[in-house]
Amino acid sequence: MKLSALQQSYLGRRSNSFRSSGPLDSSSDGAFKSPAAVFWLVLHGLSCLISLLLGFRFSRLVFLLLSTSSTYTSPFHSPTELAKTLDIRSVIPADPVGNVPLPFPNKTATNSRVVVGRHGIRIRPWPHPNPVEVMKAHRIIERVQTEQRLQFGVKDPRKIIVVTPTYVRTFQSLHLTGVMHSLMLVPYDLVWIVVEAGGVSNETASLIAKSGLRIIHVGFSQRMPNSWDERHKLETKMRLRGLRIVREKILDGIVIFADDSNMHSMELFDEIQNAKWFGAVSVGILANSANIDETVVEKRGEEENPRMPVQGPACNVSNMLAGWHTFNTLPFAGKSAVYIDDRATVLPRKLEWSGFVLNSRLLWKDGDKPEWMKDIDTLDGDIESPLDLVKDPSVVEPLGSCGRRVLLWWLRVEARADSKFPPRWIIDPPLEVTVPSKRTPWPDTPPELPSHKKPVIGIQEPIIKHTTKTRTSRSKRRSKRKHDETRTDRRTTGFDKTLQN
Amino acid sequence: MRKWFWGFLFIAFGFVCSIAAERNPRTERISGSAGDVLEDDPVGRLKVYVYELPSKYNKKILQKDSRCLSHMFAAEIYMHRFLLSSPVRTLNPEEADWFYTPIYATCDLTPTGLPLPFKSPRMVRSAIQLISSSWPYWNRSEGADHFFVVPHDFGACFHYQEEKAIERGILPILQRATLVQTFGQRNHVCLNEGSITIPPYAPPQKMQARQIPLDTPRSIFVYFRGLFYDVNNDPEGGYYARGARAAVWENFKNNPLFDISTEHPTTYYEDMQRAIFCLCPLGWAPWSPRLVEAVVFGCIPVIIADDIVLPFADAIPWEEIGVFVAEEDVPKLDTILTSIPPEVILRKQRLLANPSMKRAMLFPQPALPGDAFHQILNGLARKLPHQKSIYLKPGEKILNWTAGPVGDLKPW
């Protein structure tokens, strides 16, 4: 009787909570309803009270267990185990699911391992990840992803040959690190040709050595000039130098021009694998337009369609190359930067080299290549844009869903001409110049030296005012303030020195 | 003579080449005696006669609640519709091998959408009384050549609670019939020998619509979304899922490799396609639509349910496709999964990528060759021809029509 009452309680709970009380299971409980229900209600109330006292949920089942432990060995495995399961968490070291017969052995097969009823929740003693297993799992994930790339990604990926012109300057570290990290993430084979103006330097070499990529680092004898025009021309020459290396070493792959201040997306490297001979992608032009004044803004407002800052191939309706988008330089006419450290806007060329990719076989001396490719040895003069490398610009393949996807961004940011930075960005102690501090902590000191450093005086003056105002504990305050002053002195002098370096 | 020998050699070589060429490196055919069976065509191998029952057994119930068409028990309705227009249907019952009774027994839904099985035994009983009095075919074999689709939690035991279901057992009048059910557990009362286990219904269009590009890298190691503790019905834990889901939570909630939670994200299908392993633990019953979703989305199912019988187990080699973990081994789940060699994992993924595998788990409308409807018919066809012993002599009775709980005997 109690067993069926137990069943009914669970039935009642289940049907009350998540199913509407339709006609309850009318199978066997017709005769048992009233006394069992009353008994159960009393038991429920009692266990509620005990729960209030104890502070955790006290199961009604314990009553039944305590009262009928002899007839009630199944479905519960043992009273002690039930006591264990009263805790919210329980740890079962051994296998509690033995060959315990079910309450109705005549209806169930006795050779079933699976027992209906309450089971313990198995928790191992240290339920935290094992680092060795985590590493194994990551290796499995990598293997699965490699397989996915093999099956669904680009078929027969070609090597990528990256040509980057660079030179040593303050912002080189910033730019080159960005490009380096992008190239380290590329999942294909890579060769990085770094052409450095002013010759090979340790600065650049130490920076790119950390990448672990295959690098060809060559120097270009000319130094980088100070005007943007000259710089563009020199960069073009440096890129041609890079292309000559591709020809000399007979490198096979896709040549991409990664200027060191550009930012590349990972999809770019997947997309250029689709280039057959000569491809073009859309480049987002991020011209620093901080200095445009009101007149230019008005002009912009008058235009019907504000031009997108994108350079790249333009397609017609049938996805064939129809022309080129170029950056509109008219709003910046006369206001653009001339020298590298001008604070005006830096303008891109008509068509940037970084938006073009070519198959390295086009550069080889022999081999089958289309006749529209000019030989790079023959042209050494001024090349305005990479389209000058081909006789017929219509053979260029537009990539990135016909130029609609912008896959890289062009930006030119440089520091002042006289800006200095610590070599390899390591501040080497000790400092070369020492300047005596203004106020020493000792009272008998020589008078203060005249200081030509304005910011230091700026910090000093309020301090001086304070000491004159407070007269009572002047000595203490002064010595304290002297400490602070000398500390700030040292700090500011240190800063000035590094800036001068 | 020599010419014949060379000719035979050439033909044999060509045959071998064609078989090797068929091996697409991306997918793998489930080869062997069991796997090829998925592509069998049941048309011509069996004939099914569909009884014409009054619409109160099927259409009227559906009209009352159309949610029955989209919940996980919808297979019974779609099976009926499929059979009505299938080439295996015959209008002449004399030549039929199998007889189908269209009863939508799982369509009495609560406001929240869960089926109440309390009236189902009476409904089935009344339907069988009708067919046994109107047609002679039931009495001929006492239902041994009839099949019924009972996709409820515990099949023909018609109860959602396991202890109650075991107590009731399979409805006595269905004891001789073939039951097509989603529940399957070895040595369990509610699974008869010779039953056909089918996958639960999962909406095929919804799943096709949420496919992501195949080159999206699978970056989640283990994925699961669902309850760990059924707070409404089993607040202390230990009853729900035999404590297995709670064990998964307690052991792996801090593990970054396991993306498990009770949230219901809108990107559930997309996330499954980005996971390598998908957990399919038991709940109140051992089966769940997660298995179907895992197979369709190419995520290796990790089945945590002791003694479970998976759908179409005689046609699909589940051991080679999924990973089986005993409930007592759940605390060691991370060790088990990371110690599987990568080649085995890649092979399982190739087997899952096989389109015939995915089709066999779905109930598309209209039916496609190789889908779950055809697998059910294949299963029925494999049981043919019927043994002579199932046909009773006139006047012989085996089934006890008054067996079972008293409430079942009330008319419906």
Side-chain angles (χ1 to χ4, degrees):
Chain A
M1 180 205 140
K2 287 208 176 106
L3 279 172
S4 62
L6 169 67
Q7 306 290 346
Q8 192 200 16
S9 78
Y10 276 103
L11 174 70
R13 266 206 285 177
R14 200 166 189 216
S15 44
N16 287 344
S17 46
F18 80 106
R19 298 185 188 194
S20 70
S21 53
L24 286 183
D25 191 354
S26 53
S27 49
S28 58
D29 297 321
F32 298 121
K33 262 198 180 137
S34 4
V38 168
F39 165 76
W40 214 243
L41 210 59
V42 167
L43 203 57
H44 187 75
L46 203 58
S47 57
C48 277
L49 286 171
I50 296 180
S51 309
L52 276 173
L53 288 173
L54 286 176
F56 64 85
R57 194 179 176 283
F58 190 78
S59 175
R60 294 166 279 176
L61 302 166
V62 177
F63 283 116
L64 290 167
L65 199 70
L66 294 173
S67 56
T68 61
S69 56
S70 54
T71 57
Y72 219 26
T73 47
S74 64
F76 308 108
H77 315 296
S78 68
T80 53
E81 189 150 320
L82 183 64
K84 268 196 229 165
T85 59
L86 270 182
D87 303 331
I88 311 293
R89 310 279 175 261
S90 66
V91 181
I92 309 289
D95 180 5
V97 179
N99 279 329
V100 181
L102 290 169
F104 309 94
N106 53 349
K107 289 222 172 133
T108 60
T110 46
N111 52 353
S112 166
R113 285 191 310 124
V114 182
V115 182
V116 181
R118 164 163 271 139
H119 289 65
I121 302 170
R122 292 175 177 84
I123 306 174
R124 62 191 196 200
W126 181 249
H128 293 288
N130 180 347
V132 173
E133 278 160 24
V134 173
M135 283 317 299
K136 272 199 237 172
H138 280 291
R139 258 173 250 131
I140 292 177
I141 295 177
E142 263 177 56
R143 181 74 187 86
V144 169
Q145 288 186 358
T146 322
E147 186 70 26
Q148 270 185 284
R149 217 178 290 130
L150 279 175
Q151 284 185 5
F152 306 112
V154 178
K155 294 271 178 285
D156 303 321
R158 291 175 281 174
K159 194 194 309 215
I160 302 199
I161 304 163
V162 186
V163 176
T164 302
T166 185
Y167 68 106
V168 177
R169 77 265 194 210
T170 309
F171 273 64
Q172 183 202 29
S173 215
L174 178 94
H175 296 315
L176 211 54
T177 309
V179 175
M180 186 169 77
H181 288 168
S182 303
L183 296 179
M184 281 159 79
L185 283 176
V186 173
Y188 309 110
D189 284 335
L190 202 100
V191 175
W192 193 11
I193 302 179
V194 179
V195 186
E196 189 173 351
V200 173
S201 72
N202 281 341
E203 184 84 28
T204 317
S206 62
L207 190 59
I208 58 184
K210 295 181 222 156
S211 64
L213 301 166
R214 185 177 154 208
I215 296 173
I216 302 175
H217 187 185
V218 291
F220 203 74
S221 47
Q222 264 180 283
R223 291 190 61 112
M224 191 60 83
N226 203 25
S227 75
W228 282 107
D229 259 345
E230 298 292 317
R231 178 173 159 172
H232 286 307
K233 288 193 187 130
L234 189 64
E235 279 183 353
T236 310
K237 288 200 194 125
M238 286 157 76
R239 289 190 192 104
L240 285 177
R241 175 83 175 81
L243 292 181
R244 260 179 226 116
I245 295 179
V246 174
R247 162 183 282 211
E248 278 160 37
K249 302 209 184 237
I250 316 181
L251 297 174
D252 185 16
I254 303 175
V255 180
I256 171 176
F257 300 101
D259 294 342
D260 60 358
S261 56
N262 288 357
M263 179 55 70
H264 312 87
S265 70
M266 285 296 112
E267 289 83 23
L268 170 72
F269 299 101
D270 293 327
E271 187 63 29
I272 59 179
Q273 296 280 353
N274 297 331
K276 203 154 161 287
W277 287 113
F278 203 107
V281 293
S282 286
V283 183
I285 302 294
L286 303 171
N288 182 12
S289 51
N291 293 324
I292 297 195
D293 52 19
E294 293 82 25
T295 52
V296 179
V297 171
E298 279 169 27
K299 260 195 220 168
R300 265 232 188 109
E302 284 165 10
E303 275 179 36
E304 282 120 18
N305 308 327
R307 291 286 188 87
M308 289 283 132
V310 171
Q311 241 184 35
C315 289
N316 59 12
V317 186
S318 51
N319 278 349
M320 303 286 286
L321 183 68
W324 300 92
H325 288 304
T326 57
F327 186 65
N328 184 14
T329 55
L330 286 179
F332 305 94
K335 295 185 189 60
S336 66
V338 174
Y339 293 100
I340 286 185
D341 52 356
D342 279 354
R343 286 176 73 197
T345 316
V346 182
L347 291 179
R349 313 287 271 162
K350 271 255 175 263
L351 284 173
E352 279 292 325
W353 280 80
S354 41
F356 290 88
V357 295
L358 36 132
N359 193 335
S360 65
R361 285 170 201 232
L362 290 174
L363 303 164
W364 291 357
K365 279 202 192 63
D366 10 86
D368 54 340
K369 50 181 186 178
E371 77 295 335
W372 44 254
M373 182 71 185
K374 293 184 200 163
D375 196 75
I376 52 170
D377 276 339
T378 57
L379 33 91
D380 212 1
D382 279 325
I383 302 185
E384 267 295 316
S385 84
L387 287 181
D388 291 334
L389 288 172
V390 296
K391 293 175 194 152
D392 177 19
S394 63
V395 297
V396 178
E397 304 149 37
L399 298 173
S401 50
C402 214
R404 278 188 278 274
R405 284 175 64 191
V406 174
L407 297 169
L408 69 153
W409 296 271
W410 177 97
L411 178 70
R412 287 281 183 268
V413 179
E414 295 297 346
R416 287 164 44 144
D418 58 346
S419 89
K420 303 219 192 293
F421 64 98
R424 296 198 207 178
W425 288 97
I426 296 172
I427 300 175
D428 235 338
L431 298 168
E432 291 164 3
V433 181
T434 48
V435 172
S437 62
K438 281 237 168 42
R439 293 197 204 293
T440 60
W442 304 281
D444 47 325
T445 53
E448 66 174 68
L449 295 164
S451 161
H452 59 277
K453 298 184 185 81
K454 287 192 184 131
V456 177
I457 292 176
I459 294 170
Q460 286 248 305
E461 300 222 306
I463 296 170
I464 295 168
K465 278 189 198 148
H466 268 148
T467 49
T468 50
K469 271 186 198 161
T470 59
R471 279 175 160 264
T472 48
S473 50
R474 205 191 345 173
S475 53
K476 276 195 206 156
R477 288 257 177 88
R478 198 186 268 162
S479 52
K480 242 203 204 166
R481 291 263 158 64
K482 277 179 204 159
H483 262 291
D484 292 331
E485 282 163 18
T486 49
R487 254 186 269 129
T488 50
D489 271 355
R490 280 205 207 100
R491 253 188 275 131
T492 49
T493 47
F495 247 119
D496 279 347
K497 267 188 280 307
T498 50
L499 280 173
Q500 274 182 349
N501 274 356
Chain B
M1 190 60 194
R2 270 186 80 86
K3 272 192 223 162
W4 284 13
F5 171 73
W6 283 113
F8 170 75
L9 206 63
F10 184 77
I11 291 171
F13 181 72
F15 187 63
V16 165
C17 272
S18 66
I19 289 183
E22 212 181 342
R23 256 264 164 118
N24 185 357
R26 193 181 294 184
T27 69
E28 221 169 279
R29 289 195 72 209
I30 309 164
S31 54
S33 57
D36 292 339
V37 165
L38 280 181
E39 287 159 31
D40 282 350
D41 187 13
V43 176
R45 293 170 59 198
L46 78 164
K47 294 242 172 273
V48 176
Y49 178 73
V50 182
Y51 283 123
E52 283 279 332
L53 288 185
S55 61
K56 72 168 183 171
Y57 290 101
N58 32 55
K59 293 211 184 72
K60 286 230 180 88
I61 300 181
L62 184 56
Q63 272 164 6
K64 270 191 236 167
D65 196 342
S66 66
R67 287 178 295 176
C68 293
L69 282 172
S70 52
H71 66 176
M72 52 185 171
F73 308 102
E76 56 184 5
I77 302 175
Y78 292 118
M79 189 68 189
H80 182 205
R81 292 187 182 179
F82 164 71
L83 282 173
L84 284 177
S85 52
S86 158
V88 303
R89 182 191 184 190
T90 168
L91 297 168
N92 177 9
E94 289 299 326
E95 61 168 13
D97 303 305
W98 287 101
F99 294 84
Y100 172 64
T101 323
I103 316 171
Y104 300 167
T106 331
C107 204
D108 181 17
L109 302 185
T110 68
T112 52
L114 293 158
L116 287 172
F118 304 119
K119 290 193 199 149
S120 310
R122 291 160 55 198
M123 199 194 321
V124 171
R125 223 186 121 79
S126 125
I128 294 179
Q129 269 167 343
L130 181 63
I131 59 176
S132 63
S133 53
S134 314
W135 288 276
Y137 308 104
W138 178 271
N139 294 324
R140 192 171 65 168
S141 59
E142 292 234 295
D145 52 358
H146 289 57
F147 74 92
F148 294 82
V149 181
V150 280
H152 196 244
D153 285 353
F154 288 98
C157 291
F158 291 120
H159 210 279
Y160 49 80
Q161 219 194 344
E162 191 167 2
E163 292 138 333
K164 266 284 174 200
I166 294 175
E167 186 192 337
R168 295 179 59 100
I170 295 183
L171 206 61
I173 33 173
L174 291 178
Q175 283 283 357
R176 285 170 63 89
T178 296
L179 297 170
V180 178
Q181 58 190 49
T182 50
F183 171 74
Q185 189 173 311
R186 282 191 280 278
N187 302 318
H188 198 278
V189 199
C190 299
L191 180 70
N192 247 351
E193 277 297 318
S195 298
I196 298 177
T197 16
I198 60 170
Y201 176 74
Q205 296 89 348
K206 252 200 219 171
M207 294 201 282
Q208 308 293 10
R210 303 286 212 96
Q211 301 241 335
I212 61 176
L214 285 167
D215 60 346
T216 314
R218 286 186 189 262
S219 47
I220 305 175
F221 193 61
V222 177
Y223 187 77
F224 176 74
R225 288 289 183 274
L227 290 176
F228 299 102
Y229 293 94
D230 188 352
V231 192
N232 296 323
N233 303 300
D234 177 33
E236 290 153 3
Y239 265 99
Y240 180 54
R242 293 198 277 269
R245 286 193 184 199
V248 168
W249 175 249
E250 297 302 332
N251 281 301
F252 301 111
K253 61 187 177 191
N254 293 321
N255 198 323
L257 294 171
F258 283 68
D259 186 357
I260 56 179
S261 100
T262 50
E263 282 179 1
H264 206 88
T266 45
T267 52
Y268 178 60
Y269 288 150
E270 287 84 350
D271 290 342
M272 265 194 161
Q273 295 171 71
R274 289 178 42 229
I276 299 183
F277 290 106
C278 288
L279 295 184
C280 304
L282 70 160
W284 286 109
W287 59 270
S288 95
R290 271 184 197 91
L291 185 69
V292 178
E293 289 158 359
V295 169
V296 169
F297 293 128
C299 179
I300 300 176
V302 179
I303 295 149
I304 309 173
D306 285 346
D307 283 349
I308 188 174
V309 177
L310 289 173
F312 307 130
D314 51 348
I316 299 177
W318 286 104
E319 287 284 340
E320 293 179 40
I321 293 168
V323 179
F324 286 83
V325 177
E327 286 164 33
E328 60 184 3
D329 289 333
V330 165
K332 295 182 265 169
L333 188 60
D334 54 350
T335 317
I336 295 173
L337 291 180
T338 53
S339 59
I340 304 179
E343 307 83 44
V344 175
I345 293 181
L346 291 175
R347 175 159 191 266
K348 287 187 202 276
Q349 289 190 322
R350 278 197 298 271
L351 286 170
L352 282 170
N354 195 349
S356 63
M357 178 71 210
K358 294 189 209 273
R359 243 179 290 136
M361 289 280 115
L362 293 173
F363 292 95
Q365 284 88 45
L368 298 167
D371 64 6
F373 299 117
H374 291 87
Q375 304 305 330
I376 298 174
L377 292 178
N378 281 335
L380 291 170
R382 281 195 288 272
K383 295 181 86 176
L384 292 175
H386 293 297
Q387 293 177 341
K388 292 278 180 273
S389 54
I390 64 163
Y391 296 109
L392 307 175
K393 302 182 200 45
E396 188 183 347
K397 275 216 173 296
I398 298 181
L399 290 181
N400 180 359
W401 281 70
T402 52
V406 177
D408 285 355
L409 301 177
K410 290 189 205 159
W412 185 76

